[in-house]
Amino acid sequence: MNYDFSEKEFTLFVDINEKMAGLAANGQLDRKDPAHNKENIKQALKQLAQTPYLKLGLQPVDGYQGQLSWMGAAETLAAVSPSAYLAVEASTRLFGRAVNEWGDSNQKSKWLTPLLEGNLIGALAISEETLNIENDPLTAQGERQGESVAINGAKQYVINAPIADWIAVAGTCDDAYALFLIEKEASGLTVEPAMETLGYDGTPISGIRLEDCRIPNEQVIFPPADIDMAEAIRMWENQILLGAGLGLSKAAYETARDHAKSHRSGGKPIIAYQEVGFKLADMLTLFQTSQLLAYRTAWTAETSPKEAGELLLCAKVFCAESAEQVCSEALKILGGNGYITGNSVERAYRCAKYVQIAGTSTEIGRVKIGDAALGYRN
Amino acid sequence: MDFAFTKEQLMFKKEIIRFAKKEIVPRVQEYDLNEAFDFESFRKLGDFGILGLHFPETYGGSGADVVTTVMAGEALGEAGVDGGLTLAYGAHSFLCADTILRHATEEQRQRYLPKLISGEWIGCMGLTEPDAGSDVASMKTTAEKKGDKYVLNGSKIFITNGPIADVAVVYAKTDPSQKHAGISAFIVEKGTKGFAAGAPLIKMGVRTSQTSELFFNNCEIPEENLLGKEGEGFNMSLQTVEWDRSALLAPFVGAAKYMLNSCADYARKREQFGRPIGKFQAVKHKLANIRIFAEASQSLAYKIAWCKDQGRPLNHLEAAVAKLFVGDWSIGPANDAMVVFGGYGFCHEYNMERIFRDSRLAPIGGGTSDIQKMIISKII
Ligand SMILES: Cc1cc2nc3c(=O)[nH]c(=O)nc-3n(C[C@H](O)[C@H](O)[C@H](O)COP(=O)(O)OP(=O)(O)OC[C@H]3O[C@@H](n4cnc5c(N)ncnc54)[C@H](O)[C@@H]3O)c2cc1C
Ligand SMILES: Cc1cc2nc3c(=O)[nH]c(=O)nc-3n(C[C@H](O)[C@H](O)[C@H](O)COP(=O)(O)OP(=O)(O)OC[C@H]3O[C@@H](n4cnc5c(N)ncnc54)[C@H](O)[C@@H]3O)c2cc1C
């Protein structure tokens, strides 16, 4: 047993903070700013590529524990900039992870190498209008036509679609799961305008349409037949969202704590009042409990992946709901300051809802955890 | 980081669950109904080695680490042992015997520990007073030095094992003019003149544990019964807090797993509207809440235990977080478990109402949730 991160891991967390602080100053990375969003994410990737961050969980890095080290680092990044975090992760640990796990060596050198060097932005499109919790068959479909494949379908809510160099589209081909790797300029690909969202303002997100979009066979990735691709991607999303939730809780808690210690009312700092100090205690309890649960989940995913599924769902539900509660309380502690648009707590509060909705929603998560306890499999 | 238990630990946990299910759990309901202490089960805990798990072998203990000790508490809860018996064990082994281990003379250790570890004697710890609960330092019980004796006067309340204890660790002021610094700890044996326990209090939960007042009326004890030095009492009571936040929380973690397993069994069998109630999402939702609580609280309790095994000074912040979480976040899952059983959940036979009642001690005993919040908000 060991409940501590190593020196090396801590050093990485500090490094990420320092490398990102300038870019993220004044909430620059977290604004709706179509003219600059792409450049901002590129810059963030460049900074992170100077650290082991992008590789963690994908490739072995000396002295780090894969997903576990990543979870700690993810929390750091997601606290500095929720939007940049989500964009970086969609590129790295959705698009990149799919290529890493299922691509051949040519495909890896084509997409993964530039991605890990911070020279490529990826997106992974899976969600469809008809998709529901039980993973209905994907309707996006590729049809083989000699040396190429023609793809038809539509995807909604694709993170990074408006800024991605490459989009991996999840669908089927020859009655098997397949990922179609499509370049941004490909004919037959329409990227819809970026959506207006409640939070994650700096993460461009949109729907895409594919109408007879033709790609060469080398741009199709087939996961092994025994893998439920849609389920696997959901789990990756959940892991990313765990990090997102931790980051939001961290940012909101720390801002509220610092404010409560410095802001005075009635001659004392407001933390001296139980209505404020005890709220912070509850917030910290939720945050620290979330951390432990998320780290244990990441450790389990690293050491015995087969057992990680249920724990991941428990952690996802807990961290996502805790993040919203922590942000909500933090907002009250900031008083009027909190309600003014543009501060980190208000921003985190708006982002928090997404963490519950995306990936496995907290509703579906609870049903699945219940099913597991009952021995019902779906 | 590494969250792995050793093979031995996991095997040991299974053994305890098997032992407890066979030897103790069948007796739990009867004793709870009668609000009676189950001496036989307590002795069995001693025979199995649980009462003295972390104590050195020289006194009859097993020399186990804190993580394994916490695991034993979790296993008892998971098997279905009631919160009364596990509280009695906790007060006995951690609040009383551990304080003797750490602060008594060798002679005293030889005199008390083997008997406490075997369960032949029962221990208790008296800190709380009628007018000094959360505000410990305002205690009024005094210990006045007279020649080679101390004379104790005052009273204690809510003392677990009070009515049945053979030996008590008692906190009293040797210097009433001071607050924390005036508190000292003493060993008081049953039968000492001027020392008496009140009748068991009637309680909402943890009913098989016997809780009472302790009265000291010119109670004379030999000076060597002072633990450590005068004025060190408050720090000794703080040391027991580490156990409070790990080993004493562990049975609640285990109880959550017991609730989860019981509810799943029940929900698979119980049919309404032509199907098992487990098929309803509202029931799954409740099972999920219980599981999430079990996973979350487990991590917290073992972290405190692991830090203690590393010999680190207690991190008061993390300890308070663990206590606060188990105290305040257990009510939802405990309520959910009761409701899954419908009307049966409200009745004694199905155990859920008992666990609900037992769990209500978590935000009160050993420092209320408010006190945990006070500690946290001061440290941050
Ligand atoms: C079943 C049981 C077993 C016990 N076993 C033992 C034992 O073996 N040995 C022992 O010494 N004690 C024991 N206790 C006592 C227990 O530790 C106390 O009950 C507990 O510390 C609270 O003290 P109190 O009951 O005097 O409540 P009080 O201190 O009077 O508190 C009453 C209420 O006021 C709140 N409050 C108090 N101060 C503050 C503050 N500063 N800010 C905000 N809120 C505040 C509390 O949170 C609580 O809600 C036991 C209690 C029970 C119920
Ligand atoms: C003290 C007491 C007094 C009572 N007095 C009376 C009385 O005087 N007369 C009388 O006739 N009855 C009486 N009852 C019975 C009471 O009305 C029932 O306990 C209650 O209706 C629930 O039924 P049940 O216990 O069979 O639970 P169940 O119906 O078995 O329900 C068990 C669980 O499954 C859930 N569930 C069931 N169906 C669904 C669904 N379709 N979707 C989602 N979730 C579902 C429930 O919400 C609950 O969580 C009494 C009960 C108690 C405890």
PDB file of all heavy atoms in Angstrom, chain A residues 313-345:
ATOM      1  N   LEU A 313     -17.482   3.504 -12.515  1.00  0.00           N
ATOM      2  CA  LEU A 313     -18.824   4.092 -12.517  1.00  0.00           C
ATOM      3  C   LEU A 313     -19.130   4.736 -11.167  1.00  0.00           C
ATOM      4  O   LEU A 313     -19.702   5.827 -11.098  1.00  0.00           O
ATOM      5  CB  LEU A 313     -19.874   3.031 -12.863  1.00  0.00           C
ATOM      6  CG  LEU A 313     -19.824   2.523 -14.308  1.00  0.00           C
ATOM      7  CD1 LEU A 313     -20.803   1.359 -14.501  1.00  0.00           C
ATOM      8  CD2 LEU A 313     -20.139   3.635 -15.298  1.00  0.00           C
ATOM      9  N   CYS A 314     -18.757   4.050 -10.084  1.00  0.00           N
ATOM     10  CA  CYS A 314     -18.981   4.627  -8.745  1.00  0.00           C
ATOM     11  C   CYS A 314     -18.243   5.964  -8.636  1.00  0.00           C
ATOM     12  O   CYS A 314     -18.789   6.961  -8.149  1.00  0.00           O
ATOM     13  CB  CYS A 314     -18.466   3.697  -7.647  1.00  0.00           C
ATOM     14  SG  CYS A 314     -19.449   2.205  -7.420  1.00  0.00           S
ATOM     15  N   ALA A 315     -16.994   5.971  -9.079  1.00  0.00           N
ATOM     16  CA  ALA A 315     -16.179   7.185  -8.977  1.00  0.00           C
ATOM     17  C   ALA A 315     -16.747   8.282  -9.856  1.00  0.00           C
ATOM     18  O   ALA A 315     -16.804   9.450  -9.467  1.00  0.00           O
ATOM     19  CB  ALA A 315     -14.735   6.881  -9.366  1.00  0.00           C
ATOM     20  N   LYS A 316     -17.188   7.906 -11.050  1.00  0.00           N
ATOM     21  CA  LYS A 316     -17.735   8.895 -11.984  1.00  0.00           C
ATOM     22  C   LYS A 316     -18.957   9.582 -11.375  1.00  0.00           C
ATOM     23  O   LYS A 316     -19.067  10.810 -11.379  1.00  0.00           O
ATOM     24  CB  LYS A 316     -18.081   8.194 -13.308  1.00  0.00           C
ATOM     25  CG  LYS A 316     -19.021   8.933 -14.252  1.00  0.00           C
ATOM     26  CD  LYS A 316     -18.376  10.139 -14.915  1.00  0.00           C
ATOM     27  CE  LYS A 316     -19.138  10.714 -16.100  1.00  0.00           C
ATOM     28  NZ  LYS A 316     -20.544  11.014 -15.972  1.00  0.00           N
ATOM     29  N   VAL A 317     -19.885   8.792 -10.847  1.00  0.00           N
ATOM     30  CA  VAL A 317     -21.089   9.374 -10.255  1.00  0.00           C
ATOM     31  C   VAL A 317     -20.706  10.282  -9.089  1.00  0.00           C
ATOM     32  O   VAL A 317     -21.150  11.428  -8.990  1.00  0.00           O
ATOM     33  CB  VAL A 317     -22.060   8.269  -9.772  1.00  0.00           C
ATOM     34  CG1 VAL A 317     -23.219   8.883  -8.996  1.00  0.00           C
ATOM     35  CG2 VAL A 317     -22.584   7.461 -10.952  1.00  0.00           C
ATOM     36  N   PHE A 318     -19.833   9.772  -8.233  1.00  0.00           N
ATOM     37  CA  PHE A 318     -19.487  10.540  -7.033  1.00  0.00           C
ATOM     38  C   PHE A 318     -18.736  11.824  -7.374  1.00  0.00           C
ATOM     39  O   PHE A 318     -19.070  12.895  -6.875  1.00  0.00           O
ATOM     40  CB  PHE A 318     -18.656   9.681  -6.065  1.00  0.00           C
ATOM     41  CG  PHE A 318     -18.433  10.354  -4.746  1.00  0.00           C
ATOM     42  CD1 PHE A 318     -19.402  10.289  -3.753  1.00  0.00           C
ATOM     43  CD2 PHE A 318     -17.282  11.088  -4.491  1.00  0.00           C
ATOM     44  CE1 PHE A 318     -19.219  10.932  -2.539  1.00  0.00           C
ATOM     45  CE2 PHE A 318     -17.096  11.744  -3.281  1.00  0.00           C
ATOM     46  CZ  PHE A 318     -18.066  11.654  -2.300  1.00  0.00           C
ATOM     47  N   CYS A 319     -17.727  11.716  -8.214  1.00  0.00           N
ATOM     48  CA  CYS A 319     -16.917  12.899  -8.536  1.00  0.00           C
ATOM     49  C   CYS A 319     -17.733  13.933  -9.291  1.00  0.00           C
ATOM     50  O   CYS A 319     -17.561  15.139  -9.081  1.00  0.00           O
ATOM     51  CB  CYS A 319     -15.688  12.517  -9.368  1.00  0.00           C
ATOM     52  SG  CYS A 319     -14.526  11.500  -8.461  1.00  0.00           S
ATOM     53  N   ALA A 320     -18.592  13.477 -10.180  1.00  0.00           N
ATOM     54  CA  ALA A 320     -19.385  14.412 -10.983  1.00  0.00           C
ATOM     55  C   ALA A 320     -20.377  15.166 -10.099  1.00  0.00           C
ATOM     56  O   ALA A 320     -20.508  16.388 -10.200  1.00  0.00           O
ATOM     57  CB  ALA A 320     -20.124  13.654 -12.084  1.00  0.00           C
ATOM     58  N   GLU A 321     -21.059  14.447  -9.228  1.00  0.00           N
ATOM     59  CA  GLU A 321     -22.037  15.116  -8.368  1.00  0.00           C
ATOM     60  C   GLU A 321     -21.337  15.990  -7.330  1.00  0.00           C
ATOM     61  O   GLU A 321     -21.810  17.077  -6.997  1.00  0.00           O
ATOM     62  CB  GLU A 321     -22.965  14.088  -7.716  1.00  0.00           C
ATOM     63  CG  GLU A 321     -23.876  13.444  -8.758  1.00  0.00           C
ATOM     64  CD  GLU A 321     -24.838  12.420  -8.193  1.00  0.00           C
ATOM     65  OE1 GLU A 321     -24.647  11.998  -7.031  1.00  0.00           O
ATOM     66  OE2 GLU A 321     -25.776  12.041  -8.925  1.00  0.00           O
ATOM     67  N   SER A 322     -20.208  15.516  -6.832  1.00  0.00           N
ATOM     68  CA  SER A 322     -19.466  16.312  -5.848  1.00  0.00           C
ATOM     69  C   SER A 322     -18.987  17.610  -6.479  1.00  0.00           C
ATOM     70  O   SER A 322     -19.017  18.669  -5.843  1.00  0.00           O
ATOM     71  CB  SER A 322     -18.262  15.543  -5.313  1.00  0.00           C
ATOM     72  OG  SER A 322     -18.708  14.406  -4.618  1.00  0.00           O
ATOM     73  N   ALA A 323     -18.521  17.531  -7.732  1.00  0.00           N
ATOM     74  CA  ALA A 323     -17.996  18.731  -8.388  1.00  0.00           C
ATOM     75  C   ALA A 323     -19.071  19.810  -8.434  1.00  0.00           C
ATOM     76  O   ALA A 323     -18.812  20.972  -8.118  1.00  0.00           O
ATOM     77  CB  ALA A 323     -17.497  18.398  -9.790  1.00  0.00           C
ATOM     78  N   GLU A 324     -20.281  19.421  -8.789  1.00  0.00           N
ATOM     79  CA  GLU A 324     -21.333  20.438  -8.851  1.00  0.00           C
ATOM     80  C   GLU A 324     -21.616  21.021  -7.462  1.00  0.00           C
ATOM     81  O   GLU A 324     -21.773  22.229  -7.303  1.00  0.00           O
ATOM     82  CB  GLU A 324     -22.621  19.880  -9.459  1.00  0.00           C
ATOM     83  CG  GLU A 324     -23.637  20.994  -9.657  1.00  0.00           C
ATOM     84  CD  GLU A 324     -25.004  20.524 -10.117  1.00  0.00           C
ATOM     85  OE1 GLU A 324     -25.120  19.385 -10.578  1.00  0.00           O
ATOM     86  OE2 GLU A 324     -25.951  21.316  -9.999  1.00  0.00           O
ATOM     87  N   GLN A 325     -21.652  20.149  -6.462  1.00  0.00           N
ATOM     88  CA  GLN A 325     -21.930  20.644  -5.107  1.00  0.00           C
ATOM     89  C   GLN A 325     -20.828  21.579  -4.623  1.00  0.00           C
ATOM     90  O   GLN A 325     -21.104  22.622  -4.033  1.00  0.00           O
ATOM     91  CB  GLN A 325     -22.053  19.477  -4.128  1.00  0.00           C
ATOM     92  CG  GLN A 325     -23.372  18.739  -4.255  1.00  0.00           C
ATOM     93  CD  GLN A 325     -23.389  17.476  -3.396  1.00  0.00           C
ATOM     94  OE1 GLN A 325     -22.931  17.481  -2.260  1.00  0.00           O
ATOM     95  NE2 GLN A 325     -23.885  16.385  -3.938  1.00  0.00           N
ATOM     96  N   VAL A 326     -19.585  21.172  -4.849  1.00  0.00           N
ATOM     97  CA  VAL A 326     -18.468  21.994  -4.393  1.00  0.00           C
ATOM     98  C   VAL A 326     -18.514  23.356  -5.093  1.00  0.00           C
ATOM     99  O   VAL A 326     -18.364  24.404  -4.455  1.00  0.00           O
ATOM    100  CB  VAL A 326     -17.114  21.284  -4.649  1.00  0.00           C
ATOM    101  CG1 VAL A 326     -15.949  22.225  -4.401  1.00  0.00           C
ATOM    102  CG2 VAL A 326     -16.995  20.042  -3.774  1.00  0.00           C
ATOM    103  N   CYS A 327     -18.756  23.341  -6.399  1.00  0.00           N
ATOM    104  CA  CYS A 327     -18.805  24.606  -7.147  1.00  0.00           C
ATOM    105  C   CYS A 327     -19.963  25.472  -6.679  1.00  0.00           C
ATOM    106  O   CYS A 327     -19.829  26.698  -6.553  1.00  0.00           O
ATOM    107  CB  CYS A 327     -18.941  24.333  -8.648  1.00  0.00           C
ATOM    108  SG  CYS A 327     -17.481  23.572  -9.365  1.00  0.00           S
ATOM    109  N   SER A 328     -21.085  24.848  -6.422  1.00  0.00           N
ATOM    110  CA  SER A 328     -22.273  25.589  -6.006  1.00  0.00           C
ATOM    111  C   SER A 328     -22.027  26.281  -4.660  1.00  0.00           C
ATOM    112  O   SER A 328     -22.348  27.458  -4.477  1.00  0.00           O
ATOM    113  CB  SER A 328     -23.458  24.621  -5.924  1.00  0.00           C
ATOM    114  OG  SER A 328     -24.561  25.249  -5.332  1.00  0.00           O
ATOM    115  N   GLU A 329     -21.422  25.559  -3.727  1.00  0.00           N
ATOM    116  CA  GLU A 329     -21.137  26.153  -2.413  1.00  0.00           C
ATOM    117  C   GLU A 329     -20.062  27.237  -2.533  1.00  0.00           C
ATOM    118  O   GLU A 329     -20.133  28.267  -1.873  1.00  0.00           O
ATOM    119  CB  GLU A 329     -20.678  25.072  -1.423  1.00  0.00           C
ATOM    120  CG  GLU A 329     -21.717  23.988  -1.150  1.00  0.00           C
ATOM    121  CD  GLU A 329     -22.977  24.531  -0.490  1.00  0.00           C
ATOM    122  OE1 GLU A 329     -22.880  25.066   0.619  1.00  0.00           O
ATOM    123  OE2 GLU A 329     -24.068  24.437  -1.103  1.00  0.00           O
ATOM    124  N   ALA A 330     -19.077  26.960  -3.385  1.00  0.00           N
ATOM    125  CA  ALA A 330     -17.988  27.925  -3.558  1.00  0.00           C
ATOM    126  C   ALA A 330     -18.540  29.253  -4.063  1.00  0.00           C
ATOM    127  O   ALA A 330     -18.127  30.332  -3.626  1.00  0.00           O
ATOM    128  CB  ALA A 330     -16.947  27.380  -4.531  1.00  0.00           C
ATOM    129  N   LEU A 331     -19.489  29.150  -4.956  1.00  0.00           N
ATOM    130  CA  LEU A 331     -20.098  30.343  -5.536  1.00  0.00           C
ATOM    131  C   LEU A 331     -20.723  31.210  -4.445  1.00  0.00           C
ATOM    132  O   LEU A 331     -20.597  32.432  -4.439  1.00  0.00           O
ATOM    133  CB  LEU A 331     -21.164  29.882  -6.532  1.00  0.00           C
ATOM    134  CG  LEU A 331     -21.519  30.760  -7.698  1.00  0.00           C
ATOM    135  CD1 LEU A 331     -20.280  31.115  -8.491  1.00  0.00           C
ATOM    136  CD2 LEU A 331     -22.509  30.024  -8.608  1.00  0.00           C
ATOM    137  N   LYS A 332     -21.370  30.548  -3.489  1.00  0.00           N
ATOM    138  CA  LYS A 332     -22.021  31.298  -2.413  1.00  0.00           C
ATOM    139  C   LYS A 332     -20.988  31.955  -1.511  1.00  0.00           C
ATOM    140  O   LYS A 332     -21.203  33.060  -1.016  1.00  0.00           O
ATOM    141  CB  LYS A 332     -22.937  30.366  -1.613  1.00  0.00           C
ATOM    142  CG  LYS A 332     -24.168  29.964  -2.419  1.00  0.00           C
ATOM    143  CD  LYS A 332     -25.192  29.273  -1.566  1.00  0.00           C
ATOM    144  CE  LYS A 332     -24.919  27.796  -1.508  1.00  0.00           C
ATOM    145  NZ  LYS A 332     -25.906  27.052  -0.723  1.00  0.00           N
ATOM    146  N   ILE A 333     -19.873  31.236  -1.300  1.00  0.00           N
ATOM    147  CA  ILE A 333     -18.834  31.807  -0.431  1.00  0.00           C
ATOM    148  C   ILE A 333     -18.222  33.062  -1.066  1.00  0.00           C
ATOM    149  O   ILE A 333     -17.861  34.008  -0.378  1.00  0.00           O
ATOM    150  CB  ILE A 333     -17.758  30.752  -0.100  1.00  0.00           C
ATOM    151  CG1 ILE A 333     -18.380  29.693   0.820  1.00  0.00           C
ATOM    152  CG2 ILE A 333     -16.530  31.384   0.560  1.00  0.00           C
ATOM    153  CD1 ILE A 333     -17.491  28.517   1.115  1.00  0.00           C
ATOM    154  N   LEU A 334     -18.157  33.086  -2.398  1.00  0.00           N
ATOM    155  CA  LEU A 334     -17.610  34.271  -3.072  1.00  0.00           C
ATOM    156  C   LEU A 334     -18.588  35.444  -3.056  1.00  0.00           C
ATOM    157  O   LEU A 334     -18.228  36.564  -3.412  1.00  0.00           O
ATOM    158  CB  LEU A 334     -17.251  33.948  -4.520  1.00  0.00           C
ATOM    159  CG  LEU A 334     -16.068  33.020  -4.786  1.00  0.00           C
ATOM    160  CD1 LEU A 334     -15.616  33.144  -6.227  1.00  0.00           C
ATOM    161  CD2 LEU A 334     -14.903  33.285  -3.878  1.00  0.00           C
ATOM    162  N   GLY A 335     -19.827  35.180  -2.666  1.00  0.00           N
ATOM    163  CA  GLY A 335     -20.819  36.252  -2.616  1.00  0.00           C
ATOM    164  C   GLY A 335     -21.015  36.874  -3.989  1.00  0.00           C
ATOM    165  O   GLY A 335     -20.942  36.177  -5.009  1.00  0.00           O
ATOM    166  N   GLY A 336     -21.234  38.166  -4.025  1.00  0.00           N
ATOM    167  CA  GLY A 336     -21.482  38.868  -5.288  1.00  0.00           C
ATOM    168  C   GLY A 336     -20.369  38.665  -6.299  1.00  0.00           C
ATOM    169  O   GLY A 336     -20.617  38.506  -7.496  1.00  0.00           O
ATOM    170  N   ASN A 337     -19.127  38.592  -5.802  1.00  0.00           N
ATOM    171  CA  ASN A 337     -17.986  38.367  -6.704  1.00  0.00           C
ATOM    172  C   ASN A 337     -18.183  37.113  -7.548  1.00  0.00           C
ATOM    173  O   ASN A 337     -17.777  37.053  -8.705  1.00  0.00           O
ATOM    174  CB  ASN A 337     -16.696  38.169  -5.912  1.00  0.00           C
ATOM    175  CG  ASN A 337     -16.339  39.397  -5.120  1.00  0.00           C
ATOM    176  OD1 ASN A 337     -16.288  40.485  -5.674  1.00  0.00           O
ATOM    177  ND2 ASN A 337     -16.126  39.230  -3.830  1.00  0.00           N
ATOM    178  N   GLY A 338     -18.757  36.108  -6.913  1.00  0.00           N
ATOM    179  CA  GLY A 338     -18.921  34.828  -7.593  1.00  0.00           C
ATOM    180  C   GLY A 338     -19.902  34.900  -8.736  1.00  0.00           C
ATOM    181  O   GLY A 338     -19.807  34.147  -9.707  1.00  0.00           O
ATOM    182  N   TYR A 339     -20.867  35.813  -8.588  1.00  0.00           N
ATOM    183  CA  TYR A 339     -21.952  35.872  -9.569  1.00  0.00           C
ATOM    184  C   TYR A 339     -21.554  36.669 -10.808  1.00  0.00           C
ATOM    185  O   TYR A 339     -22.237  36.662 -11.821  1.00  0.00           O
ATOM    186  CB  TYR A 339     -23.194  36.487  -8.905  1.00  0.00           C
ATOM    187  CG  TYR A 339     -24.481  36.142  -9.608  1.00  0.00           C
ATOM    188  CD1 TYR A 339     -24.948  34.824  -9.638  1.00  0.00           C
ATOM    189  CD2 TYR A 339     -25.224  37.128 -10.252  1.00  0.00           C
ATOM    190  CE1 TYR A 339     -26.125  34.505 -10.290  1.00  0.00           C
ATOM    191  CE2 TYR A 339     -26.405  36.821 -10.903  1.00  0.00           C
ATOM    192  CZ  TYR A 339     -26.850  35.509 -10.926  1.00  0.00           C
ATOM    193  OH  TYR A 339     -28.008  35.182 -11.566  1.00  0.00           O
ATOM    194  N   ILE A 340     -20.441  37.388 -10.689  1.00  0.00           N
ATOM    195  CA  ILE A 340     -19.969  38.176 -11.827  1.00  0.00           C
ATOM    196  C   ILE A 340     -19.285  37.242 -12.831  1.00  0.00           C
ATOM    197  O   ILE A 340     -18.382  36.484 -12.459  1.00  0.00           O
ATOM    198  CB  ILE A 340     -18.950  39.262 -11.380  1.00  0.00           C
ATOM    199  CG1 ILE A 340     -19.539  40.105 -10.252  1.00  0.00           C
ATOM    200  CG2 ILE A 340     -18.511  40.131 -12.566  1.00  0.00           C
ATOM    201  CD1 ILE A 340     -20.807  40.842 -10.602  1.00  0.00           C
ATOM    202  N   THR A 341     -19.711  37.331 -14.069  1.00  0.00           N
ATOM    203  CA  THR A 341     -19.180  36.427 -15.089  1.00  0.00           C
ATOM    204  C   THR A 341     -17.668  36.551 -15.227  1.00  0.00           C
ATOM    205  O   THR A 341     -17.126  37.652 -15.152  1.00  0.00           O
ATOM    206  CB  THR A 341     -19.837  36.764 -16.443  1.00  0.00           C
ATOM    207  OG1 THR A 341     -21.248  36.672 -16.257  1.00  0.00           O
ATOM    208  CG2 THR A 341     -19.407  35.773 -17.524  1.00  0.00           C
ATOM    209  N   GLY A 342     -17.024  35.414 -15.408  1.00  0.00           N
ATOM    210  CA  GLY A 342     -15.607  35.443 -15.741  1.00  0.00           C
ATOM    211  C   GLY A 342     -14.680  34.982 -14.633  1.00  0.00           C
ATOM    212  O   GLY A 342     -13.494  34.836 -14.867  1.00  0.00           O
ATOM    213  N   ASN A 343     -15.208  34.748 -13.423  1.00  0.00           N
ATOM    214  CA  ASN A 343     -14.292  34.243 -12.395  1.00  0.00           C
ATOM    215  C   ASN A 343     -14.251  32.716 -12.452  1.00  0.00           C
ATOM    216  O   ASN A 343     -15.126  32.060 -13.019  1.00  0.00           O
ATOM    217  CB  ASN A 343     -14.693  34.754 -11.011  1.00  0.00           C
ATOM    218  CG  ASN A 343     -15.964  34.097 -10.525  1.00  0.00           C
ATOM    219  OD1 ASN A 343     -15.941  33.000  -9.994  1.00  0.00           O
ATOM    220  ND2 ASN A 343     -17.100  34.777 -10.735  1.00  0.00           N
ATOM    221  N   SER A 344     -13.207  32.143 -11.841  1.00  0.00           N
ATOM    222  CA  SER A 344     -12.964  30.716 -12.040  1.00  0.00           C
ATOM    223  C   SER A 344     -14.050  29.844 -11.404  1.00  0.00           C
ATOM    224  O   SER A 344     -14.306  28.732 -11.858  1.00  0.00           O
ATOM    225  CB  SER A 344     -11.596  30.348 -11.473  1.00  0.00           C
ATOM    226  OG  SER A 344     -11.584  30.606 -10.090  1.00  0.00           O
ATOM    227  N   VAL A 345     -14.705  30.336 -10.368  1.00  0.00           N
ATOM    228  CA  VAL A 345     -15.728  29.514  -9.710  1.00  0.00           C
ATOM    229  C   VAL A 345     -17.018  29.491 -10.537  1.00  0.00           C
ATOM    230  O   VAL A 345     -17.623  28.438 -10.753  1.00  0.00           O
ATOM    231  CB  VAL A 345     -15.997  30.020  -8.277  1.00  0.00           C
ATOM    232  CG1 VAL A 345     -17.176  29.285  -7.663  1.00  0.00           C
ATOM    233  CG2 VAL A 345     -14.747  29.838  -7.419  1.00  0.00           C
TER     234      VAL A 345
END
